[in-house]
Amino acid sequence: MMWWLCIRFPSLMLDSLSLRESTEATAVIERQVVLQANTTAIEQGIQPGHSMATALSLYPELHAVERQTKREKELLEHVAVWAYRFSPQVSIDTELSVIFLEIRGSLKLFRGFNRLFSYLSQGIKKRNLQFYCGLSHNPVASYLISYSDKEPGYYRQSPTKLDNNKIQQQLKSSPVTLLPCSKNVKKNLKSMGLNHISAVFLLPSTSLGKRFGRDFFELIAYLKNEKKEHRPLFFPPEYFHSSCYFTHGLNNKQQLDPYITQLLTELKNHLRLRQLINRQLNWQLNYIDGGSESMLLDTSLHVFQQQSLFDITLLKLEQLKLRANIESLSLSCKRFEKSENHNDNLFQQQDNTFLTGGDSKNEQYSIVMDKLLSRLQSQHCIQLSAHNDLLPEKAWRATQYTDVNTSDPLDRNATPPRPLWLLSKPAVIQQHQQQLYWQGYLQLLQGPERIDNQWWQQRHARDYYIALHSNGSIYWIFKDQIKRQWFVHGLFS
Amino acid sequence: MKLVLPDYAELHCISNFTFLRGASHPEELVTQAAALDYQAVTISDECSFAGVVRAHMAAKACNIKLIIGSEFSLSENIRLLLLATDKKAYSQISSLISKARLRSPKGKYDISLKDFQREPAHYLTIWLVDDTLADEQKTNQNIANQLKSVFQKSLWMGINLSRKSHQQQRYMQCYAIAKQYQIPMTACGNVHMHMAGRKPLQDVVTAIRLNTNIQKLGNKLQVNAELYLHSKKQLASLYPPDLLAETLQIAARCQFTLDSLNYCYPDEIVPPNTTATKFLRELTEDGARKRWPDHVPETVTTLIEKELKLIHEMEYEQYFLTVYDIVQFARNQKILCQGRGSAANSAVCYCLFITEVDPARSQLLFERFISKERDEPPDIDVDFEHERREEVMQYIYRKYGRERAALAATVITYKPRSAVRDVGKALGLDQALVEKLAKSLSWWKKPQQLDELLNKAQVKQRSISAQLFLQLVDEILRFPRHLSQHVGGFIICREPISTLVPLENAAMENRTVIQWDKTDLESLGLMKIDVLALGMLSAIRKSLGYISNFEKNRIGGFRLDDIPPEDKATYDMLCKADTIGVFQIESRAQMSMLPRLRPRTFYDLVIQIAIIRPGPIQGGMVHPFLRRRQGLESITYANTRLESVLGRTLGVPIFQEQVIQLAMVAAGFSGGEADQLRRAMASWGHNGHLDLFRDKLVNGMLDRGYSIDFADRLFSQLRGFGAYGFPESHSASFALLAYASSWIKCNHPGAFYCGLLNSQPMGFYAPSQLVQDAQRHGVEILPVCINHSQWDHHLTTTHTLQLGFRLLKGMHRKSAEKIVTARNSGIFTSMSNFIQRTHINRHEQNCLVRSDAFQCFNSHRYQSQWQISAVEESRPLFNIENDTVLDDHILLAAPKETEEIQWDYSYTGLTLRRHPMTLLRENPLLRSCTRATDLATIDHGRIVHVAGLVTCRQRPGTATGVLFITLEDETGYCNTIVWKNQQQHYNQEIINGRILSIKGKLQRTDNISGLDPQQQTPVVHIVAGFIKDISHLIPLETSSHDFH
């Protein structure tokens, strides 16, 4: 018989936003209804189910935060990945906010339930999460038992056997409202006076099935231990990891070359199987003295090019100074993308290219960018992207280089023509004998174009003109209507 | 040398009636244009005339020429501006707007160039090229060519120079096309706001319209604040002189004014070969003979003559005849109706059976209704049964056609809460914070508190200052948001309405509204008829029907007119405040006044209805009136003139018209000033006009020797009366229904409750309270049953009421009718028999089971639910060939009494079993509780303990923050008062509690001195000292009438 441990997180909504222990009265809301409230809010009389209007009548200072289901799911998955070390059979139920672990097979490894449970609960406590546990032969029963006021250990008869009587007793006393079934079914049960599971257990399964459907029939069968419950298992996300170990240690970088090639080849095979392309290479050099060094390389290639990746790795390695002998080299990859579905060429010209499609010009650009990035670091590579703003200096902005286009979609008609060269900071224009002077005299040719905006932050009111410089250049200048001062802002030619 | 400023007429302004585009009121635009000395200004809202009447009134006030126009965005991506030159042009534009609006859902329009080709244009057309000029010169030439062929010589090109980029190049492009196609060019301001300072609000409304926030608007924001009314000096620097001069040429051709609209009544209501005057006289005289079969009193004949003369002078005959026709229709269809409001001041209306207030029995002021000096159209409001009003509306549509009859609009404007919500969202504030700000507006007058709230919120919100937020909220207040339909104000014309005012679709299917609201219609002197809905009329009509059923001998059935006047037993009942369910005098406040005022005549009832209003309460008039009525205070008047005004209300002003008359008599207001005062009173709360009269009123009274105290009281009465006071005629109309419903309750309680319950939802009380009250009045109530109930509740004897299926939550009328039809061929013999014969869906079967409607089969609701659930919904007949399918020999335990009560409340909203409080009496927590009926025997000042279901939580505006909680127990109701500090202390209990236990001091008012104690009905309140929420003892889904 299996032992399923249910870990239920009753405050997952608050915990995922780190708000449960906030001293401020806080509630998680969805569609203006309170779903969870922290202790401070509960003390003010706020309860789940209250409308925002009622909650604010009770406590006008209430801090209300919108529910974030994605964060909740991430948190559950994060815990599940960690919990994987306790059991290979892990299952997640985001609706119930629970994680199920089959622990019967792990009892020997952890030398008994108590040690296992102690590790597990300590680990969750460290994460500062509120949780309750239940133990039974199947997940749904363990879920209901998690509502009992007894520790899970109470439901064991011996180190290897669960106490079925205690479990059944607890299940029978559970209210039907706790059952993981539809609201309609629960309402129907209540309207038959079936308030506790004990009353449901007394009824013939066929009669129940006829009235409440197959799912409910199965649910009762699980609870009665008449049927084995199969839940979809959770598997940690797949990522690539491989290492090469050097028994005597390597003491110079050149010695690493064949191993780098080997690991890249393994990665290539891994990617080919999964039709993926990597977005990152995480190299780790482990020294004999126990220390280690990491090199994280972002890549922007749209096809896997082993030689390029090899070159980039060497470039990066050049900057590294070895501290001691290297014991192992590992390569891991966590960031992937679906690769473009190109077929292999029938007559491949290069061994190290398994995908040869794509625009070669773009690829060359990507290779250059990757090389620049590895040499200069990404924070030193910037690109210009368009930004939807009426202020000229904000209409374009420099952003850290990425291969994804971050520009705002622009309405070409709404974007007026602007000078090619905009000064990073407008330069003050002097006035000589009532004439505008900036490294020479300026003569207004056309304008004004008035821009008056950003009143909610700092108002900018400017009249822009096109002006002819005495050197023959065409400048874009403006008069700041607030400071009453002239500035040069750009150059047309 | 002095610069000669050019003359200018602004041809293109959109106001805030181009919803969420324009950022100024029409009045602001007009006033500002006058201040800038423009020759004329145009209001040209987008496919709308909604703002033109306001602009027209403002233009008259500041003496500037108003041009009426409208802007259109065509499906061909062309923007046109049409200007009305004369009445024909105005009608054409109005029709075009109607056409474009009626073919689209509410708030949208759809128009294309071919719509302009149907008939020769009388209006002038301006092609607005600023934003829509295409990059391709060929496209522009194409458009110019098309427009020129459609509009020929009445086409201009509107140029807006608002300092946008590359303006010169665009101008040259326009110039080339204009020259090529010989289209004259003119300046057009594309004005969106009256002053540049409105730019922030303009951006905010854009963000609201596009459902985003200003930070995300980017290029969708106006690049600068130039779309405002510029000074002539600025205009001279912006536009070439020829373009400015052309505006004057165009303005000179636009001679239309709204004053020239002559509204014509429909003429089909006058039979051939007679005149409206003659016909109205005939009907009135005929009606008078019916009203007074023995002899029409002399005073009435004089009144009628006076009224008919004035009606003829003002040419209002058709209006009266139209209303008469509608009322006649209703009467023929046996739809109960009654006129109210100022129309009840008219003897003619009484003779036409429009109103029911007998002029021989009251002192009515016809001038309050129609006055030659005021020169305002009369306003007749008629209430119809709320369930049958639609029939009356459909009759109007049928008779006059949808082209000639339409509902007036109601302009929905920004109120503080909606303003906070929308501005907050537009400024990008966090949604939860915005909700919090909207929920409690306590920060309104304390910007510092708002600052703290904003600072506490997320970082991005720190950039929005409290001052800016407040300024924007304040500016957007009263801005129109959209048009909705008026509750029942009809406008009916001889000509198609769309030639007078544009029509558009309402949100409700098959409903059209005009683009003007009540105020606009009044301003232009157009008449409207209010076809209103009143629930009590439905209830009374139904009750009268039940009485008729049991009085078979009465020919023609029992009618409203058959109710005998001044019935002693009815007044006795009212004196005891036994008025649950009675029209107008059933609220807690009215009920606590009844034993003090002790109405004994119809006129007492008129006063009773008018006195419990914020006007008299805020003016401190209630207690003086009671003292005088009880003989505790002498009735004195400062002079005989005051006596004439206040005599009928014992020297205390209670009615709206008395306050106006007082202003004239005591403060020396002229007739005209008094009329202005009346208007200001009516609009108080919307603007501060009333305060302008304060000094004049107070000083006028002081000069005439009245005390400052009296003057101040009168002014605060004026304030209260503004929005909430009743004129005497209105109160009299309501008193008639209050008396009728009281009489029915007193003499035919079964019929009364049945009528009332069948007209729900209406009134102050939920069915549960009405049913309990019925039981206390000896009416036996039978539960809902599949073998006896119908959709409506019905009487099986005069004192036995069978509850109907309409009570069940989730049950539909059609299904109930299916059950009744199936039952016609024999009662149901079992559950399977019921399922086989009715085929109603699972959801409704559950409704019936859970409300215990199957108890006739001796099956409790749990067992019934078990049985009915065995039937598969997809193949019900397959499963129930015999009863054994439903009965698998499983017997479920029967519900306990508390469970039964819980289910009763959940599915029917009431229980006929023991009251929940009866069950709780055994609980040790409630052993010391006093029952509601026993409170009357306890002395004033004693500490008592009461408990009950919360049926009402009220915090009236007139009671300075005091909260009233009404508790219901098995014997009746108990009113408790919770002072402010206790409210804070017991906030959770007050808000969450469905059943409360309250300890406090008993306050008892024994009303009339010298009256036999047996006849006294003391008014008892408990002042709460300790409140405990005991809802957990029996969790019930009860309803409470909260915080109204």
Side-chain angles (χ1 to χ4, degrees), chain A residues 24 32 43-45 47 50 52-54 56-58 60-64 66 187-188 190-195 203-204 207-208 210-211 388-390 410 412-417 446-453 455-456, chain B residues 135 163-166 168-169 199-200 203-204 214-215 217-219 221-226 427 431-432 435-436 439 456 463-464 468 472 846 850 861-862 865-866 869-870 885-886 888 890 892 899 903 907 987-988 991-992:
Chain A
E24 194 179 2
Q32 298 299 308
E43 280 165 9
Q44 300 298 332
Q47 291 158 12
H50 273 157
M52 263 302 276
T54 308
L56 289 174
S57 306
L58 285 161
E61 303 301 310
L62 179 73
H63 176 49
E66 280 290 327
K187 203 172 176 183
N188 274 344
K190 296 268 295 175
S191 65
M192 291 171 187
L194 305 172
N195 294 322
L203 298 166
S207 299
L208 287 173
K210 191 172 176 183
R211 284 163 177 83
N388 192 357
D389 203 298
L390 290 169
L410 286 183
R412 206 175 62 84
N413 287 332
T415 316
Q446 202 183 91
E449 173 192 347
R450 180 164 291 180
I451 292 177
D452 185 350
N453 230 301
W455 48 266
W456 58 91
Chain B
D135 286 339
R163 295 188 166 119
K164 286 190 177 175
S165 70
H166 293 73
Q168 283 93 333
Q169 287 96 313
K199 172 70 165 41
D203 289 344
V204 163
I214 44 165
Q215 293 88 346
L217 272 177
N219 293 326
L221 283 173
Q222 290 288 354
V223 66
N224 55 36
E226 289 301 295
L427 292 180
Q431 206 196 331
E435 260 325 294
K436 194 187 281 185
K439 164 83 185 147
K456 259 170 76 179
S463 59
I464 306 292
L468 177 64
L472 288 165
N846 283 342
R850 290 169 191 174
R861 61 208 331 161
Y862 289 169
Q865 182 76 59
W866 177 256
S869 302
V885 176
L886 296 185
D888 45 11
I890 286 166
L892 298 182
E899 289 174 329
W903 286 109
Y907 280 88
N987 191 28
Q988 290 185 31
I991 291 170
N992 287 334

Side-chain angles (χ1 to χ4, degrees), chain B residues 743-864:
Chain B
W743 184 87
I744 301 173
K745 174 170 177 163
C746 181
N747 295 281
H748 298 274
F752 174 74
Y753 292 106
C754 197
L756 207 53
L757 285 165
N758 278 332
S759 306
Q760 292 295 311
M762 61 162 280
F764 205 74
Y765 296 95
S768 171
Q769 285 128 40
L770 294 174
V771 161
Q772 287 176 60
D773 198 51
Q775 288 172 320
R776 284 185 207 113
H777 286 81
V779 180
E780 188 191 0
I781 310 285
L782 304 176
V784 179
C785 171
I786 50 138
N787 264 332
H788 297 97
S789 293
Q790 298 164 3
W791 169 251
D792 278 329
H793 314 293
H794 67 278
L795 289 174
T796 55
T797 72
T798 52
H799 279 71
T800 314
L801 193 156
Q802 172 76 57
L803 292 176
F805 294 118
R806 66 182 298 148
L807 195 66
L808 310 190
K809 291 177 188 168
M811 193 74 187
H812 293 102
R813 187 179 193 130
K814 274 192 177 160
S815 305
E817 284 166 358
K818 262 190 204 173
I819 296 172
V820 176
T821 311
R823 208 170 59 202
N824 286 340
S825 54
I827 61 165
F828 302 112
T829 54
S830 66
M831 195 169 284
S832 54
N833 177 258
F834 173 82
I835 295 166
Q836 266 181 325
R837 288 167 56 192
T838 56
H839 313 311
I840 60 170
N841 67 32
R842 166 59 54 88
H843 172 73
E844 285 171 317
Q845 285 173 5
N846 283 342
C847 271
L848 290 165
V849 167
R850 290 169 191 174
S851 345
D852 210 13
F854 287 99
Q855 84 280 63
C856 53
F857 300 139
N858 289 325
S859 163
H860 60 77
R861 61 208 331 161
Y862 289 169
Q863 193 66 36
S864 304

Side-chain angles (χ1 to χ4, degrees), chain B residues 485-654:
Chain B
Q485 68 179 57
H486 187 265
V487 285
F490 261 100
I491 174 163
I492 306 171
C493 299
R494 190 183 298 167
E495 307 296 331
I497 285 188
S498 63
T499 60
L500 184 74
V501 47
L503 288 164
E504 63 176 62
N505 286 320
M508 199 173 158
E509 215 181 332
N510 291 328
R511 277 283 156 81
T512 46
V513 295
I514 59 168
Q515 288 187 332
W516 292 342
D517 75 350
K518 184 172 169 270
T519 325
D520 296 333
L521 294 174
E522 266 173 23
S523 304
L524 290 182
L526 305 182
M527 274 181 227
K528 75 168 189 358
I529 299 160
D530 274 339
V531 179
L532 304 170
L534 191 64
M536 185 46 80
L537 283 173
S538 303
I540 290 177
R541 199 254 307 153
K542 288 175 185 178
S543 298
L544 293 174
Y546 307 137
I547 297 170
S548 304
N549 291 344
F550 289 104
E551 291 194 5
K552 302 273 184 208
N553 298 332
R554 190 184 286 270
I555 300 159
F558 193 86
R559 293 171 306 137
L560 202 55
D561 303 348
D562 296 327
I563 292 176
E566 312 294 29
D567 177 53
K568 182 178 175 299
T570 302
Y571 287 118
D572 287 346
M573 182 187 85
L574 296 183
C575 291
K576 285 186 214 150
D578 182 4
T579 54
I580 286 180
V582 169
F583 185 57
Q584 281 288 311
I585 48 171
E586 60 172 347
S587 69
R588 179 200 51 76
Q590 287 279 5
M591 279 166 84
S592 58
M593 179 56 62
L594 281 164
R596 300 184 208 182
L597 199 139
R598 298 186 61 79
R600 301 306 310 176
T601 63
F602 176 72
Y603 197 71
D604 289 346
L605 217 46
V606 177
I607 291 174
Q608 165 82 30
I609 286 171
I611 204 166
I612 301 298
R613 301 285 303 168
I617 294 174
Q618 279 170 4
M621 301 303 182
V622 179
H623 292 289
F625 179 81
L626 282 177
R627 280 200 300 275
R628 289 178 180 205
R629 187 169 163 85
Q630 291 170 17
L632 301 173
E633 188 178 298
S634 58
I635 304 164
T636 51
Y637 303 96
N639 54 47
T640 50
R641 297 184 73 196
L642 277 194
E643 190 173 358
S644 69
V645 178
L646 301 175
R648 60 190 190 280
T649 50
L650 310 181
V652 180
I654 285 170

Side-chain angles (χ1 to χ4, degrees), chain A residues 216-230:
Chain A
F216 188 75
F217 173 86
E218 286 189 340
L219 176 66
I220 299 301
Y222 300 148
L223 291 176
K224 285 181 166 175
N225 247 339
E226 292 168 353
K227 210 172 170 202
K228 198 176 166 194
E229 184 185 355
H230 294 284

Side-chain angles (χ1 to χ4, degrees), chain A residues 404-420:
Chain A
V404 183
N405 181 19
T406 54
S407 291
D408 288 339
L410 286 183
D411 176 359
R412 206 175 62 84
N413 287 332
T415 316
R418 293 289 182 242
L420 269 176

Side-chain angles (χ1 to χ4, degrees), chain B residues 122-319:
Chain B
H122 282 246
Y123 47 80
L124 306 182
T125 307
I126 299 177
W127 175 23
L128 301 168
V129 291
D130 53 341
D131 290 328
T132 51
L133 200 66
D135 286 339
E136 287 280 321
Q137 191 67 355
K138 207 173 167 192
T139 316
N140 296 325
Q141 286 170 340
N142 232 336
I143 294 171
N145 197 16
Q146 282 183 61
L147 293 177
K148 189 70 187 172
S149 68
V150 175
F151 300 109
Q152 294 166 8
K153 287 198 169 169
S154 63
L155 179 69
W156 277 260
M157 184 186 273
I159 301 293
N160 171 242
L161 301 176
S162 56
R163 295 188 166 119
K164 286 190 177 175
S165 70
H166 293 73
Q167 191 164 269
Q168 283 93 333
Q169 287 96 313
R170 301 289 267 186
Y171 180 76
M172 292 315 292
Q173 257 181 304
C174 293
Y175 182 79
I177 296 171
K179 200 171 175 196
Q180 185 181 351
Y181 292 92
Q182 294 183 324
I183 305 171
M185 292 166 87
T186 180
C188 263
N190 191 19
V191 172
H192 280 54
M193 49 209 170
H194 70 295
M195 290 165 80
R198 276 283 163 88
K199 172 70 165 41
L201 188 66
Q202 219 276 316
D203 289 344
V204 163
V205 293
T206 307
I208 298 170
R209 189 179 80 242
L210 300 175
N211 195 23
T212 180
N213 58 51
I214 44 165
Q215 293 88 346
K216 288 186 188 158
L217 272 177
N219 293 326
K220 293 192 177 76
L221 283 173
Q222 290 288 354
V223 66
N224 55 36
E226 289 301 295
L227 304 183
Y228 68 99
L229 293 167
H230 288 86
S231 69
K232 288 203 222 171
K233 192 177 165 194
Q234 289 167 326
L235 287 166
S237 70
L238 276 173
Y239 292 94
D242 286 355
L243 264 64
L244 297 179
E246 193 63 25
T247 64
L248 304 176
Q249 298 288 330
I250 294 172
R253 290 179 63 175
C254 296
Q255 290 303 326
F256 173 75
T257 156
L258 284 175
D259 286 332
S260 65
L261 285 183
N262 40 4
Y263 169 77
C264 296
Y265 301 101
D267 46 12
E268 57 258 64
I269 35 170
V270 183
N273 306 323
T274 186
T275 62
T277 316
K278 267 193 203 165
F279 189 48
L280 181 65
R281 176 172 285 279
E282 275 169 33
L283 291 173
T284 309
E285 286 170 355
D286 192 36
R289 282 191 291 277
K290 282 184 189 145
R291 288 287 195 189
W292 293 276
D294 302 330
H295 173 68
V296 182
E298 198 69 22
T299 48
V300 173
T301 318
T302 321
L303 262 178
I304 290 174
E305 281 309 318
K306 183 183 151 198
E307 288 185 25
L308 284 175
K309 186 166 169 272
L310 191 56
I311 290 168
H312 177 62
E313 279 174 32
M314 308 292 286
E315 298 177 27
Y316 290 152
E317 290 94 340
Q318 267 109 335
Y319 178 67

